[in-house]
Amino acid sequence: MEELKWQHVSPRYVSLLRIDKSILCGLILIVVSLPAILVDAVPLWAAGIFWGALFVLWLILIFLWAPRRFRVTAFATEPKEVHFRVGALWYRHTAVTHNRIQHLEIEQSPFERMLGLARLIIFTAGGSGADLTIPGLARDDAMALRDELLSMIRDEQLDEAAITEAGPVSSDAKSGDATNE
Amino acid sequence: MSDSRQWQRLPLLALCFFFLSTIRLMMKHLYQAAPALAAAFIAVSALRPFIPHILLGLLVLIMITTVLRYRRFFYATETQRICVKQGVLRKVELNLEYDRIQQADIARPFYFRPFQLAILKLQSAGSKAQEVEIAGLRVDRAVAIQAEILAEIEDDKGAGATQAQDSEASSGVDFTFTLPPSEVLRIGLMQNIFVVVGVITALLFSNQQVNARVREQFVTFVEQFPSTGEAIFAIVAISLGVLVLLILGTIAIQFNKYYGYTLTRRGDRVRYEAGLTSTLTRSFRVQKLQLLDIRQGWMGRLLNRQQIRISQAGNQQKQDGKFVLPCVSPKIRREFNQDLRLPQANWQPVHWLMFPRFVLLFSGLGWLLFDWRVAAGVLVGLTIVRWRWWHMFAWHFDGEWLAIRHGFIGSRQQWMPAAKLQHVSITQGPIQRRFKLSNLQVSTAAGNLYLPYLKTATAERLQQQLLDVTRDNYKRWM
């Protein structure tokens, strides 16, 4: 197997991850702190332990997890394939061939817009929802990648023959199967 | 906005269809609320005298809905497209290109048969897997539309739709088999009756009020008998009787559904026709096939029969809408394999680490929550289950087909044409990394195949091989 030329996403992706996780920790803090403040039965020391643990978790997410997540988030564009890998502990590597792409989308959340980032979402007919999402791309890079993929898909010429056929193998079917070898 | 389409209304008899379909819809909603309704029935005794009124109210509601749904339903056929306008509160207009239709069914329910009417059911490929039902079409019209949809490939080869329709009757059959009544009887036996028993039991014990009521009745029943022994005997006899009735009922339902099952393949078009009181003709084109699901439950194993379901793009949710070969003998399986060019599987095992997964975790939980005896029981039980699961799990890849096999008592095989791959992922957890293992998830347009605990090198090689057969394949895949 040829080595893939992995490309990293924008370094600003680290900031995005930090913002996202800070918001998440903030929400957990609010949701869990409300009963601690409002309900007398919850002792203050228990709340203190929770706040301490949440603070440590936040520090880990911000200073350890986010940079590491950025380092392992990468994509590779081959002549007829797109690859994406993510996850330091729970690794995932997804690949899609151009001829199975149904449509492409670019999405931007308010924070992504603020940082000039975008997500490229590649849809195929398999599964439900998005099949391959490349996050943390600089907006221009995302648009360029989308346009490149679109132009390649547009140029595709479909064969009249079908992949699945029934009955005895005909001589033309045999010659058409050369791609499988 | 002007609408140039010639919208057609359905014949008046289609009201029957809308009536039954409204009842079906209502039952579906009521079924979800069944535990709450049962509880209300038992708990609120004041409600009971009003049950006839409630039922009458429901009937009136069903009638009104039926008429409104019928009045608002229109369809139009155009070249290579069928359009449907429907909806009472929310109006929907659907345009279905023939090319996107994955499966075309003609159902002839008993109430339409004397009038030579039929329901045309079309399934499209799409993220929502839309299904269109046009009820009350004349049978010849429904057959003509179905033929037009299926003949699309013939069009591509230069023959017209009408020619294809004409050739329907005259052209030779490439592959066919018919299930004799003795085989059809086995279909009901092969159904897992314990699912029904499970649902009924779950319903009886779904909430406290119903549960208490059932217990009360049970105690009263037992007290009628002079001794406990006799009570137990009576209960066992009644349970067995109910079970036999359920089995006979299932056999009868399946016999009615699949009576005279005949499958035929003419060129690219495959169809089956079956049914005693109501008949169904279901058709699809071989090129649309995405996934084959070959199942054999414990009863199927005893009877030496399998069931094959064929999925096309988008219809992975609906089991009832699948193209099915309900009772497949070893002989038919061989012929089917040969006709569909399915190879002899060369099953490969996965790494043994798949089987101790969860065993230690759940045993530990058992120890923590209960005691060591529970932990030991869980350890032994789960080890046997997981070992069997691992032992049964296998995969096959030959460059054209990717397959997996799994099961516990019965077995299930899923086969996909490799080049119809949509996307493929390798995943790896931290423990798997230590042992150089990975999982491979292969997505098709009709569902996923999951190959866990492969050696990472094998998973990477397989991913690459799958991409290799798909990348340059521009043949029609759906």
Side-chain angles (χ1 to χ4, degrees):
Chain A
M1 178 180 151
E2 268 180 54
E3 274 301 307
L4 294 166
K5 295 180 198 79
W6 291 109
Q7 299 176 54
H8 285 289
V9 294
S10 164
R12 277 169 292 176
Y13 183 50
V14 184
S15 311
L16 180 71
L17 290 172
R18 284 178 175 153
I19 294 172
D20 276 355
K21 296 308 156 199
S22 300
I23 291 172
L24 180 73
C25 288
L27 283 174
I28 296 174
L29 181 73
I30 293 168
V31 170
V32 186
S33 297
L34 277 179
I37 296 165
L38 300 175
V39 183
D40 292 338
V42 180
L44 208 60
W45 60 263
I49 290 176
F50 168 75
W51 286 327
L54 191 65
F55 182 66
V56 173
L57 178 71
W58 178 74
L59 286 179
I60 292 171
L61 285 174
I62 298 298
F63 294 106
L64 294 175
W65 178 81
R68 198 167 172 199
R69 178 86 174 181
F70 162 70
R71 277 200 301 277
V72 293
T73 304
F75 66 98
T77 49
E78 292 291 295
K80 288 184 174 182
E81 293 161 20
V82 185
H83 293 253
F84 176 70
R85 67 157 201 222
V86 71
L89 275 180
W90 306 92
Y91 174 81
R92 192 177 83 240
H93 167 188
T94 303
V96 176
T97 58
H98 291 174
N99 53 358
R100 296 291 175 261
I101 296 175
Q102 293 285 310
H103 69 276
L104 298 147
E105 273 179 17
I106 285 184
E107 269 189 19
Q108 274 189 304
S109 69
F111 293 115
E112 282 172 319
R113 208 171 303 141
M114 203 176 81
L115 293 164
L117 295 175
R119 254 171 297 158
L120 178 69
I121 309 178
I122 300 176
F123 289 86
T124 70
S128 50
D131 301 306
L132 199 154
T133 304
I134 308 177
L137 292 170
R139 192 181 147 74
D140 292 343
D141 291 349
M143 306 260 276
L145 185 55
R146 180 197 60 185
D147 294 343
E148 189 191 326
L149 288 172
L150 276 179
S151 73
M152 277 191 258
I153 298 165
R154 223 174 283 136
D155 295 340
E156 270 173 12
Q157 297 266 319
L158 268 184
D159 226 340
E160 276 312 321
I163 293 176
T164 324
E165 290 176 333
V169 184
S170 62
S171 53
D172 11 314
K174 262 186 183 165
S175 60
D177 275 350
T179 46
N180 292 349
E181 283 156 22
Chain B
M1 202 173 80
S2 70
D3 192 350
S4 58
R5 278 190 193 124
Q6 295 200 325
W7 290 107
Q8 297 182 52
R9 213 181 258 290
L10 297 171
L12 213 54
L13 265 166
L15 274 168
C16 295
F17 166 78
F18 284 108
F19 179 70
L20 290 172
S21 139
T22 308
I23 291 180
R24 207 165 52 215
L25 269 176
M26 206 167 267
M27 293 295 280
K28 206 168 116 188
H29 292 302
L30 287 181
Y31 173 76
Q32 283 156 0
L37 287 176
F41 174 72
I42 290 167
V44 190
S45 50
L47 268 182
R48 278 179 231 168
F50 294 102
I51 286 173
H53 303 85
I54 295 172
L55 286 179
L56 194 70
L58 269 180
L59 190 69
V60 172
L61 189 69
I62 289 171
M63 293 293 209
I64 295 172
T65 318
T66 301
V67 174
L68 283 178
R69 282 180 68 197
Y70 167 76
R71 295 270 311 161
R72 300 274 164 86
F73 191 100
F74 299 92
Y75 77 97
T77 46
E78 293 175 0
T79 346
Q80 296 303 312
R81 183 194 297 167
I82 191 158
C83 313
V84 168
K85 208 158 62 166
Q86 61 182 334
V88 178
L89 296 174
R90 197 171 58 96
K91 290 188 180 177
V92 182
E93 191 178 320
L94 245 168
N95 296 303
L96 209 54
E97 303 289 331
Y98 286 168
D99 189 35
R100 310 289 293 177
I101 292 171
Q102 301 297 308
Q103 193 169 271
D105 300 351
I106 295 175
R108 296 181 65 194
F110 63 92
Y111 51 88
F112 274 167
R113 280 181 82 175
F115 308 100
Q116 289 297 308
L117 297 179
I119 306 170
L120 182 68
K121 295 183 189 179
L122 305 171
Q123 278 179 21
S124 79
S127 54
K128 285 179 189 157
Q130 287 145 338
E131 193 184 65
V132 171
E133 289 188 324
I134 304 168
L137 288 176
R138 291 199 58 82
V139 171
D140 47 1
R141 176 102 175 96
V143 170
I145 299 176
Q146 190 195 38
E148 209 175 315
I149 293 163
L150 293 167
E152 205 232 333
I153 196 159
E154 300 288 323
D155 274 350
D156 294 340
K157 288 177 183 168
T162 42
Q163 277 174 300
Q165 197 187 330
D166 291 340
S167 67
E168 186 93 359
S170 55
S171 71
V173 170
D174 296 307
F175 176 74
T176 186
F177 72 85
T178 300
L179 294 180
S182 59
E183 288 289 301
V184 180
L185 280 172
R186 291 172 205 242
I187 302 170
L189 272 178
M190 278 159 68
Q191 303 299 313
N192 197 347
I193 196 78
F194 293 109
V195 175
V196 184
V197 177
V199 170
I200 293 172
T201 321
L203 211 64
L204 287 179
F205 297 98
S206 57
N207 68 49
Q208 280 186 338
Q209 272 121 351
V210 183
N211 197 348
R213 180 85 178 181
V214 172
R215 271 171 201 229
E216 214 175 280
Q217 295 273 356
F218 184 76
V219 172
T220 327
F221 178 78
V222 171
E223 278 167 357
Q224 287 176 349
F225 293 91
S227 74
T228 324
E230 279 172 78
I232 292 174
F233 181 75
I235 289 165
V236 170
I238 290 173
S239 308
L240 279 177
V242 170
L243 206 62
V244 168
L245 271 182
L246 273 175
I247 292 171
L248 287 177
T250 315
I251 292 174
I253 290 171
Q254 300 296 331
F255 190 80
N256 180 44
K257 192 173 173 185
Y258 291 114
Y259 177 79
Y261 181 99
T262 304
L263 180 139
T264 42
R265 181 178 70 75
R266 285 186 176 89
D268 177 50
R269 287 164 288 166
V270 190
R271 74 167 61 199
Y272 79 71
E273 196 165 355
L276 185 63
T277 52
S278 305
T279 62
L280 177 76
T281 312
R282 181 160 281 173
S283 331
F284 82 105
R285 285 156 48 194
V286 179
Q287 68 172 48
K288 306 262 184 195
L289 180 151
Q290 304 292 329
L291 198 65
L292 276 177
D293 191 348
I294 304 165
R295 293 168 187 234
Q296 189 176 48
W298 60 276
M299 198 42 142
R301 227 178 131 175
L302 285 176
L303 296 170
N304 198 14
R305 294 291 180 275
Q306 292 174 318
Q307 198 167 71
I308 302 179
R309 293 174 202 186
I310 300 173
S311 299
Q312 299 93 31
N315 70 348
Q316 61 258 53
Q317 292 91 7
K318 285 194 170 174
Q319 287 299 339
D320 197 41
K322 284 194 176 162
F323 193 98
V324 64
L325 284 70
C327 186
V328 179
S329 66
K331 179 177 172 280
I332 295 177
R333 175 77 202 277
R334 267 197 307 279
E335 289 169 2
F336 175 80
N337 280 5
Q338 197 180 359
D339 193 58
L340 206 56
R341 304 177 191 170
L342 276 185
Q344 186 74 35
N346 173 23
W347 295 115
Q348 306 286 322
V350 293
H351 197 272
W352 63 267
L353 262 176
M354 181 194 176
F355 100 75
R357 200 178 165 208
F358 302 130
V359 173
L360 286 178
L361 179 75
F362 283 105
S363 308
L365 274 177
W367 199 326
L368 276 178
L369 296 173
F370 303 98
D371 60 16
W372 66 268
R373 279 165 297 204
V374 175
V378 171
L379 186 75
V380 173
L382 260 187
T383 304
I384 293 169
V385 170
R386 291 296 304 173
W387 182 84
R388 173 77 185 154
W389 187 258
W390 167 75
H391 184 71
M392 283 293 289
F393 197 98
W395 61 278
H396 158 92
F397 178 66
D398 58 26
E400 285 190 30
W401 292 87
L402 174 71
I404 58 167
R405 181 194 72 187
H406 55 97
F408 185 64
I409 299 171
S411 79
R412 185 176 173 195
Q413 292 178 21
Q414 286 168 290
W415 290 72
M416 66 167 279
K420 294 195 179 184
L421 158 89
Q422 296 298 315
H423 55 98
V424 54
S425 297
I426 286 182
T427 57
Q428 188 183 51
I431 299 173
Q432 286 183 317
R433 183 160 320 132
R434 282 189 154 272
F435 293 93
K436 293 197 171 70
L437 298 172
S438 294
N439 316 309
L440 192 76
Q441 181 164 320
V442 185
S443 291
T444 77
N448 298 333
L449 295 195
Y450 187 63
L451 287 71
Y453 288 82
L454 298 176
K455 284 188 181 141
T456 297
T458 311
E460 283 176 351
R461 196 178 60 239
L462 196 52
Q463 185 189 40
Q464 197 51 46
Q465 284 172 329
L466 286 166
L467 290 170
D468 287 344
V469 294
T470 311
R471 195 191 305 122
D472 295 310
N473 197 322
Y474 288 97
K475 290 180 178 178
R476 280 171 181 255
W477 63 271
M478 90 171 194

